[in-house]
Amino acid sequence: MSTPHATRAALWRGTLAVVLSACCFGSISPLTVIATDRGMALESIQTWRYFTSALVLVGIGLWQRPPRAAASLGPWYRPRTLLLAGSGQALVATLALLALRWLPAATASFLFYTYPAWVTIITAVRGLEPLDRTRLVALTLSLGGIAAMVGAPDAASLAPVGLAVILTAALVYALYIPLLSSLQRGRHPLDVSRAIAVGGTALFAVWSLSTGTLFTIPDRVAFGASLLQGILSAGSFLGFLAGLKVLGNVRTAITSTVEPFWTTLLGVLLLNQGIGSGTILGGAAIMGAVLLLQRPVASPPAQSSNVVT
């Protein structure tokens, strides 16, 4: 359930968790490039990534022993929970990466990060979260910041297949966020994180085994990049779900737009790429959106029972 009267301190903690999650997610793409450039298949990379995440998260669970889920929900390792949590994440990752076959990375990034708008629309139509002026302004700032960083796409030059794939990825992710929110009602974020990692491992393992690429590892650098992705993904799953529990669907989606800004900074620091005025302006706009969302929003009492995070 949502926390419409969440304190400012709680909002900051939730926001920090989502920002750290976004930075972890934003580190995945450069590591994927390193592994694929060395000849490792995408499905193999993802299998080892999710397998590593599963090992880390299951290990944390054995050490931490979070509270058990409500009896009606059942354990996190139920096949239905694993399928829902793992397939959603795997589908989004696959679609987003496949779109790069037809679209430049910057254009794909811009189109994928329209998903906060989809989340805002879906939650408003379903009556799950109030659509107020603060959130609309924050959404506009975040989308404008991304456009400034990567450049707004020229619709006339977009390949129709790539456009369809990346917009589908954005829409699936917009639907996946409320699904995660519902899965973790009565559950600890670690439980849902483990379900994502274990379910994703199973799905990608089937894919890589079917193509015969699971154990085709060109060198230690490629394999190390895959394993490092898994460690980062474990942190990203935990941070995202912990923040989602406090911030709700819309705030979490908008705050996550920090990710492309972080990826750009990594390009500057690790790949000696230049940084332009668009990146600076875009990052400032995104941070403005994040700060704006720290204002506690109190929902009217009559609507409080309809708000979900």
Side-chain angles (χ1 to χ4, degrees):
M1 299 300 293
S2 84
T3 52
H5 300 284
T7 64
R8 190 176 296 273
L11 290 175
W12 274 109
R13 287 194 297 271
T15 299
L16 179 60
V18 174
V19 169
L20 291 175
S21 169
C23 291
C24 289
F25 272 129
S27 304
I28 298 299
S29 295
L31 292 171
T32 300
V33 171
I34 291 173
T36 54
D37 282 351
R38 290 178 171 269
M40 196 166 177
L42 177 61
E43 58 268 30
S44 177
I45 295 169
Q46 296 302 302
T47 303
W48 290 109
R49 168 193 169 187
Y50 279 85
F51 178 70
T52 305
S53 293
L55 289 180
V56 171
L57 293 169
V58 170
I60 292 174
L62 293 174
W63 171 65
Q64 183 176 333
R65 296 188 180 278
R68 290 185 177 181
S72 60
L73 296 176
W76 64 269
Y77 48 81
R78 288 181 61 182
R80 178 179 179 275
T81 304
L82 294 177
L83 179 63
L84 289 174
S87 61
Q89 184 69 36
L91 181 58
V92 171
T94 301
L95 288 172
L97 292 170
L98 282 177
L100 297 178
R101 294 183 178 182
W102 300 281
L103 299 176
T107 300
S109 176
F110 176 84
L111 292 171
F112 179 75
Y113 276 93
T114 60
Y115 79 80
W118 294 109
V119 172
T120 303
I121 293 170
I122 291 170
T123 53
V125 169
R126 296 181 61 193
L128 299 178
E129 293 187 30
L131 182 59
D132 55 24
R133 182 181 302 176
T134 298
R135 295 183 180 190
L136 285 175
V137 172
L139 177 63
T140 302
L141 280 173
S142 66
L143 293 177
I146 294 168
M149 281 193 295
V150 302
D154 180 4
S157 63
L158 296 182
V161 175
L163 179 63
V165 171
I166 197 63
L167 289 180
T168 299
L171 182 57
V172 169
Y173 198 47
L175 295 170
Y176 182 56
I177 290 174
L179 172 62
L180 289 177
S181 182
S182 65
L183 284 176
Q184 75 169 2
R185 291 178 204 159
R187 287 190 172 99
H188 192 279
L190 178 58
D191 286 338
V192 184
S193 298
R194 286 185 287 186
I196 293 173
V198 174
T201 299
L203 292 168
F204 278 115
V206 171
W207 182 11
S208 57
L209 285 172
S210 67
T211 58
T213 59
L214 177 59
F215 299 106
T216 304
I217 300 171
D219 56 34
R220 287 181 292 181
V221 173
F223 191 53
S226 301
L227 299 185
L228 181 55
Q229 286 185 57
I231 296 172
L232 292 172
S233 293
S236 64
F237 295 152
L238 285 173
F240 185 88
L241 291 167
L244 179 63
K245 198 168 188 177
V246 176
L247 302 181
N249 301 329
V250 176
R251 285 183 176 182
T252 300
I254 295 174
T255 303
S256 295
T257 57
V258 169
E259 180 180 334
F261 181 58
W262 173 255
T263 303
T264 302
L265 288 181
L266 282 183
V268 174
L269 297 174
L270 301 180
L271 305 177
N272 296 320
Q273 296 176 346
I275 183 169
S277 59
T279 299
I280 297 174
L281 292 174
I286 290 173
M287 292 310 301
V290 171
L291 293 174
L292 185 61
L293 290 173
Q294 302 318 301
R295 298 173 55 187
V297 178
S299 300
Q303 298 178 352
S304 60
S305 62
N306 295 326
V307 182
V308 177
T309 65

